[in-house]
Amino acid sequence: MLTIEALEAGYGQSRVLFGLSMVARAGEVVSLIGRNGMGKTTTVRAIMGMTRPTGGRISFGDHPLAGLAPHAIARLGLGLVPEGRRIFPSLTVEENLVATARTDTRNSNAWTLERVVALFPRLGERRRQSARTLSGGEQQMLAIGRALMTNPRLLILDEATEGLAPLIRAEIWRCLHQLKQAGQTIVVIDKNLGEMAALVDRHHIVEKGRVVWSGTPTELDSQANLAKRYLGI
Ligand SMILES: Nc1ncnc2c1ncn2[C@@H]1O[C@H](COP(=O)(O)OP(=O)(O)O)[C@@H](O)[C@H]1O
Ligand SMILES: [Mg+2]
């Protein structure tokens, strides 16, 4: 579904990605893991058209994404829960959810306001409140709900559980398991290897702008030197 080949990108003169390659097939949950500053968010920005690659190829299904604007990429069916959960603070919860919604008439299982509220009941209780009154965890649920309302074929989550209380984290992992069971293709970036072990089909370790290893959580577990060398644990 998503294929990245030899991606190069950076900011101004500073190069961040040096030939990064990865694949997410339909129905798979794959990760990008690795220490801070290795290029995970930059990869996401390149996929979404927010950072212009200087080399390599990204394709989504049959569509090359080169040169497409972010809104055009989103419209192809890529949904992002960005790092730092950027919701619209002055809009209500409901307004946030419908603001970028995209109905999917081909799919009777499409995400609607009702389904998102069923997934995250707290959002239903706070439907008419302005988003700025939500806790950090509730804002994160809102960011996930908003991405789902675009009915993405591929959902990308960049550090979605970062800085949240354990109970809220657990709720987000539960949500991701439900999405996986429903066949949602997901790219997840997170630091919690323990939680990801049960969710992810394939990890990609990112080191200095390249994928230096990929394999199943079981394979990662069996090679302690990998985690030590690339993840600092
Ligand atoms: N907007 C930016 N301008 C300049 N440099 C940036 C910007 N965003 C990130 N970087 C740099 O790019 C490198 C990779 O960052 P990033 O992709 O955010 O890593 P990760 O998500 O793996 O922590 C880091 O050295 C970071 O300082
Ligand atoms: Mg990041």
Side-chain angles (χ1 to χ4, degrees), residues 15 17 24 30 41 51 58 65-66 83 92 119 142 147 153 160 176 185 198 214 227 231:
R15 194 99 94 77
L17 302 182
V30 304
T41 296
T51 292
I58 306 175
L65 300 187
E83 198 170 28
T92 66
L119 185 67
L142 181 56
R153 291 164 60 208
L176 296 184
T185 312
S214 83
L231 311 173

Side-chain angles (χ1 to χ4, degrees), residues 1 31 82 107 125 154 163 184 197 226:
M1 175 170 280
S31 80
N107 179 1
E125 292 158 20
L154 172 69
Q184 175 74 55
L226 279 176

Side-chain angles (χ1 to χ4, degrees), residues 7-148:
L7 182 64
E8 297 177 13
Y11 305 93
Q13 295 300 307
S14 86
R15 194 99 94 77
V16 174
L17 302 182
F18 296 88
L20 182 140
S21 300
M22 64 165 285
V23 171
R25 299 187 192 88
E28 274 188 336
V29 179
V30 304
S31 80
L32 293 178
I33 54 178
R35 281 186 290 248
N36 284 336
M38 291 301 166
K40 303 179 299 294
T41 296
T42 304
T43 303
V44 169
R45 292 181 53 88
I47 296 169
M48 298 305 294
M50 292 144 58
T51 292
R52 181 75 20 118
T54 50
R57 286 161 301 280
I58 306 175
S59 49
F60 185 61
D62 296 333
H63 296 272
L65 300 187
L68 294 184
H71 65 88
I73 291 173
R75 212 178 302 130
L76 288 175
L78 285 108
L80 171 64
V81 179
E83 198 170 28
R85 61 189 94 101
R86 267 154 291 169
I87 44 123
F88 305 123
S90 61
L91 300 186
T92 66
V93 167
E94 180 165 338
E95 287 164 345
N96 263 279
L97 289 171
V98 299
T100 54
R102 200 177 62 115
T103 49
D104 184 347
T105 46
R106 291 163 305 173
N107 179 1
S108 56
N109 257 336
W111 285 98
T112 57
L113 194 60
E114 285 61 41
R115 281 194 63 212
V116 167
V117 161
L119 185 67
F120 294 121
R122 288 155 181 269
L123 295 182
E125 292 158 20
R126 291 160 178 72
R127 205 160 159 160
R128 315 241 178 267
Q129 281 176 228
S130 84
R132 74 161 56 83
T133 66
L134 300 183
S135 70
E138 289 159 358
Q139 289 187 16
Q140 189 60 270
M141 292 173 192
L142 181 56
I144 296 171
R146 192 176 60 178
L148 290 174

